[in-house]
Amino acid sequence: MVSFVCNYCQATLKKPKLDQHLQRCYNATFSCIDCHTDFIGDTYRQHTACMTEEQKYKNKMAAKNTKKPAPAVVVPKSTVDQLKEKQSQAVVSDTVPTVKESKKRKHEKSDESVVSTKEGKKPKDKSAKENSTSGWDDSALPTTPAGALASAIAYVCENEPGVAFGDLKKKCVKMVTKHPKCSFAKSDVKDEFAAAVVAALSEGSVKLSKC
């Protein structure tokens, strides 16, 4: 039979005597000895069954005998294994290029392509210029700046019919001043250019549309 303890006077009582004790001890509340459940007023009447002593001590023993799993034992690696791992990591790092190396290689390739493009264009432009004035340097140069410019204007308009006026002036002045037999000052050649163009147009040797 279930036994109770009065929490006010600490008296131990069987369940049939709780009603009489409650009439004498007005402030009494009861606790079950087996399950330690507290009951206020006459709520103890509903407590008709409780765990047995065997169940109570069996649960305690089961909780006590439950052992925690043993921690996993970490076996330290030998020196040989550590050296093998380092060697494998070094091989991987050597074979796989880093981000900086890949960017550097791309940059070098782009620079090489730019240089090759520039080098390929330069000889072409140079040869074109040499071909345009190759016969001029071998020709005889008149003794006056006006005569020299007239020959240069006729030569440029014949070889480059679509040349603009500004380019015509630069080319003719350069051709005259760079001629091997030239003894004129560059300023004198520039001053005589406009008059030489007008003279060439008036004579009809050079047409404005071809210049």
Side-chain angles (χ1 to χ4, degrees):
M1 184 176 290
V2 183
S3 299
F4 295 85
V5 175
C6 178
N7 295 326
Y8 185 74
C9 64
Q10 302 301 318
T12 302
L13 306 165
K14 296 291 184 180
K15 188 174 181 180
K17 295 183 179 181
L18 293 180
D19 293 337
Q20 297 177 1
H21 186 79
L22 184 61
Q23 293 177 359
R24 296 194 301 271
C25 187
Y26 297 104
N27 296 325
T29 59
F30 303 102
S31 297
C32 178
I33 293 177
D34 294 331
C35 64
H36 305 287
T37 303
D38 295 330
F39 301 95
I40 299 173
D42 57 356
T43 56
Y44 56 85
R45 296 176 182 175
Q46 300 175 1
H47 191 60
T48 57
C50 188
M51 67 173 65
T52 61
E53 293 291 329
E54 182 180 359
Q55 291 174 340
K56 181 169 67 175
Y57 288 108
K58 186 177 181 180
N59 292 336
K60 288 183 179 180
M61 291 299 294
K64 186 176 181 180
N65 292 330
T66 302
K67 294 182 179 180
K68 295 182 180 180
V73 179
V74 180
V75 179
K77 295 181 180 179
S78 63
T79 306
V80 177
D81 295 336
Q82 293 178 2
L83 291 173
K84 288 182 178 180
E85 287 186 358
K86 289 183 179 180
Q87 289 177 356
S88 62
Q89 291 176 359
V91 170
V92 172
S93 62
D94 292 339
T95 54
V96 179
T98 61
V99 177
K100 291 183 178 180
E101 290 177 353
S102 60
K103 288 183 177 180
K104 186 178 180 180
R105 290 177 183 175
K106 289 181 179 179
H107 185 67
E108 290 176 353
K109 288 182 179 179
S110 62
D111 291 342
E112 290 176 359
S113 62
V114 171
V115 171
S116 62
T117 304
K118 290 182 178 179
E119 290 177 352
K121 287 183 178 179
K122 284 180 180 179
K124 185 177 179 181
D125 296 338
K126 187 176 181 180
S127 62
K129 291 181 180 179
E130 288 177 352
N131 293 332
S132 63
T133 58
S134 59
W136 168 259
D137 294 338
D138 298 333
S139 63
L141 189 69
T143 57
T144 60
L149 284 169
S151 299
I153 291 170
Y155 185 89
V156 173
C157 290
E158 182 180 356
N159 291 278
E160 300 180 39
V163 67
F165 182 81
D167 294 334
L168 177 64
K169 181 178 180 179
K170 291 179 181 179
K171 288 178 180 292
C172 292
V173 172
K174 184 176 181 181
M175 288 170 62
V176 173
T177 54
K178 295 294 182 180
H179 196 279
K181 298 179 181 179
C182 177
S183 59
F184 315 128
K186 190 173 183 180
S187 58
D188 296 336
V189 176
K190 288 183 178 180
D191 294 339
E192 293 289 337
F193 178 76
V197 172
V198 173
L201 290 173
S202 62
E203 292 175 358
S205 59
V206 175
K207 293 184 180 180
L208 186 60
S209 60
K210 292 184 179 180
C211 294

